[in-house]
Amino acid sequence: MEALTLVAVALALLHLGFPLAYYAYLRARWLGRPWSVRRDPSYRPRVTVIIPTYNEAEPIESKLDDLARQDYPRELLRWNLKVLAAS
């Protein structure tokens, strides 16, 4: 029983100790540095709306009207908004 307990403790220390040591290494070596990521304020992502429906002809019209009333910039909706209605 003594050997089995030692193996269990060794595996537990290995299982918990290695990730903690790796985190400590990363924190000391890499996480303290400033990132060189620059944010582009003019970037607007593409928007894809997927509306899964099944025999819902009436509600789909109100859903599309709701999408048209969104406050996303209109000049970007024309090029970046994709509406995919699947039945």
Side-chain angles (χ1 to χ4, degrees):
M1 191 70 170
E2 179 87 16
L4 187 58
T5 304
L6 287 174
V7 169
V9 169
L11 287 175
L13 287 175
L14 183 65
H15 181 73
L16 296 173
F18 184 74
L20 287 175
Y22 185 63
Y23 174 73
Y25 166 74
L26 286 178
R27 186 174 172 135
R29 178 91 173 158
W30 299 104
L31 295 179
R33 294 183 183 177
W35 295 9
S36 61
V37 177
R38 291 184 181 90
R39 184 170 182 250
D40 183 8
S42 65
Y43 173 73
R44 296 284 189 240
R46 291 180 183 222
V47 178
T48 301
V49 177
I50 300 174
I51 306 171
T53 62
Y54 181 73
N55 293 334
E56 295 187 29
E58 293 175 14
I60 194 77
E61 185 178 353
S62 67
K63 295 288 184 188
L64 292 174
D65 288 340
D66 289 341
L67 286 173
R69 284 193 295 262
Q70 295 294 315
D71 61 353
Y72 202 75
R74 294 285 181 202
E75 65 274 2
L76 296 174
L77 286 176
R78 186 172 26 163
W79 303 107
N80 292 336
L81 178 69
K82 296 179 186 177
V83 177
L84 174 63
S87 175

